[in-house]
Amino acid sequence: MSVATVADRQWMAAALKLAAQGMYSTSPNPRVGCILVKDGEAIGEGWHQKAGEPHAEVLALRAAGDNARGATAYVTLEPCSHYGRTPPCAEGLIKAGVSRVVAAVCDPNPDVAGRGFQMLREAGIEVVERCLEDQASAINEGFMKRMRTGLPLVRMKLAMSLDGRTAMASGQSQWITGPEARRDVQRLRAQSCAVITGADSVLIDNPSMTVRSEEAGLTIPADLQRQPLRVIVDGEHRVNASAKIFAQAGDILIASRVAPTTPVERDANSGNLTYWAGEKNDRTDLSGLLRHLAEQGHNEILVESGAQLAGAFVRAGLVDELIVYCAPTILGSDARPLLSLPIGDMAAQIRWRWQDVRMVGDDLRLTMRPELQSSPDKA
């Protein structure tokens, strides 16, 4: 098998930068970048911008034109081999006459999964795999997980005081963190396919839960802007149509234990409102909800909720990444805790691994991954 050279890794790093431009717009598709190189010079490049629109390889081939013949294509994900909304990119590279394809990572989509590489090799094209594989996988971590497991990547965002509190006893929580941290959260929302919150948060804080590009400091073209699906976990159907979240544009899903007797009425011009009910038990089926969201093409989920729902996600072992913003303030012992998560024994503690620690304005952003995919219920 061919091995990537130093030059290959340099060009792939540039292709990964292109792929990252789709961070906020490609869902449910993966973020992909492509650069065509000939005689040591880039002759065409592209990045996938939006589902249903041309893939990165197509845009790069268009830019290169007839000059693509004999070129090397650097692609951050295995070229697709099937007909979807667009023709197979592997076929396009073959027809264009490229002589070599360097790819970062195999596409785990069962419709592709090595078939793209096979098509290229059968056409006599040299294929180099796994060039900067880890970096490419990280850009599409949610897509990779959904394709391999049938579940989306779940991030949980929490904000706390120095003494680990998230709100006053009354539920008042605005604002613990500063504007820079809130801007950072907006960017997390923007890259997410769906944002999950709970009925308590809607009733107490009355949030919009929308992406506000200006507040996030993002300059996303109007045709690429989108709102993530907003999901309200409301097992008892306590939220009503007066909540501000229903007046904001974008689709909403209400997840509960059972279907409602009286559905919430919403202006259809604002977006779709649908319901989902899992297995009939005393709690909303969070695992089932995530499977449902994955089936709908959602790669990355952001959980922004109060202590009760946040604790339920952690207890069930459903959180892939925990992001905690710690503010330099003290709320006192009567304030609400970070998580509602009773643990009575040290053996049942849930340990996390540090991934990143940085300052965001005056606040500290702590990013963690679970040390083990386990929970107190399974300990």
Side-chain angles (χ1 to χ4, degrees):
M1 181 178 292
S2 301
V3 178
T5 65
V6 172
D8 288 338
R9 290 191 286 273
Q10 291 173 339
W11 284 115
M12 186 60 73
L16 286 168
K17 288 182 179 179
L18 287 174
Q21 292 187 50
M23 186 66 67
Y24 305 109
S25 64
T26 63
S27 172
N29 288 0
R31 300 148 184 151
V32 183
C34 177
I35 298 178
L36 292 175
V37 176
K38 192 172 185 179
D39 299 327
E41 299 289 337
I43 59 172
E45 63 180 39
W47 55 279
H48 182 47
Q49 300 180 20
K50 188 177 182 180
E53 296 192 359
H55 289 188
E57 298 95 320
V58 172
L59 295 172
L61 288 170
R62 285 180 185 174
D66 293 340
N67 201 24
R69 184 163 298 277
T72 295
Y74 292 90
V75 191
T76 60
L77 184 69
E78 175 186 2
C80 61
S81 57
H82 66 294
Y83 282 87
R85 296 187 187 182
T86 58
C89 289
E91 183 179 284
L93 292 167
I94 293 168
K95 289 180 177 179
V98 302
S99 61
R100 187 167 178 261
V101 173
V102 180
V105 65
C106 179
D107 189 340
N109 184 340
D111 291 331
V112 186
R115 294 183 182 88
F117 292 147
Q118 181 180 348
M119 283 181 64
L120 295 169
R121 289 189 172 108
E122 289 177 350
I125 295 174
E126 179 188 355
V127 176
V128 178
E129 300 181 38
R130 299 183 177 180
C131 179
L132 303 189
E133 182 178 22
D134 291 345
Q135 295 92 319
S137 295
I139 285 179
N140 285 309
E141 191 174 8
F143 175 79
M144 297 289 182
K145 183 184 177 186
R146 177 168 71 87
M147 288 297 166
R148 289 168 176 159
T149 69
L151 289 170
L153 179 80
V154 178
R155 292 186 178 92
M156 177 177 289
K157 162 262 170 184
L158 295 167
M160 70 175 187
S161 61
L162 283 175
D163 49 347
R165 305 291 170 164
T166 62
M168 304 309 295
S170 63
Q172 180 185 2
S173 62
Q174 297 178 335
W175 296 101
I176 295 174
T177 56
E180 293 87 354
R182 297 197 294 275
R183 188 177 303 120
D184 197 56
V185 172
Q186 282 288 319
R187 289 191 283 269
L188 287 176
R189 282 186 194 171
Q191 76 178 70
S192 301
C193 305
V195 179
I196 297 179
T197 193
D200 285 342
S201 296
V202 173
L203 294 170
I204 295 172
D205 297 331
N206 199 21
S208 299
M209 303 300 290
T210 54
V211 173
R212 298 178 287 279
S213 297
E214 290 185 3
E215 182 179 332
L218 300 174
T219 54
I220 304 173
D223 61 329
L224 296 182
Q225 291 184 13
R226 63 177 182 83
Q227 288 293 341
L229 174 71
R230 286 165 294 167
V231 180
I232 305 171
V233 177
D234 185 10
E236 302 297 332
H237 297 293
R238 293 181 291 146
V239 175
N240 59 53
S242 66
K244 186 165 64 174
I245 195 169
F246 296 113
Q248 309 303 312
D251 295 343
I252 293 175
L253 171 70
I254 297 179
S256 60
R257 297 184 297 107
V258 294
T261 54
T262 306
V264 172
E265 294 186 3
R266 186 188 187 206
D267 183 353
N269 293 324
S270 296
N272 295 323
L273 173 60
T274 55
Y275 282 85
W276 177 88
E279 298 178 2
K280 294 182 179 180
N281 51 39
D282 61 347
R283 294 180 182 176
T284 301
D285 179 9
L286 297 181
S287 295
L289 172 60
L290 293 178
R291 285 192 296 272
H292 172 73
L293 292 174
E295 289 168 358
Q296 301 304 307
H298 297 283
N299 298 322
E300 299 178 26
I301 308 297
L302 179 64
V303 178
E304 294 188 66
S305 71
Q308 194 73 29
L309 182 58
F313 267 99
V314 172
R315 180 183 297 110
L318 298 174
V319 179
D320 297 296
E321 185 172 85
L322 180 61
I323 300 174
V324 180
Y325 297 89
C326 182
T329 188
I330 294 175
L331 298 184
S333 58
D334 290 337
R336 298 188 177 189
L338 186 68
L339 299 168
S340 178
L341 186 63
I343 297 178
D345 191 291
M346 284 294 289
Q349 65 179 289
I350 305 172
R351 296 193 64 85
W352 300 77
R353 292 179 288 107
W354 295 110
Q355 297 296 303
D356 184 63
V357 178
R358 68 179 66 182
M359 294 296 298
V360 180
D362 290 332
D363 303 312
L364 193 61
R365 172 177 156 153
L366 311 171
T367 304
M368 294 156 276
R369 292 289 177 100
E371 189 168 276
L372 294 173
Q373 292 293 336
S374 62
S375 67
D377 293 343
K378 301 172 185 176

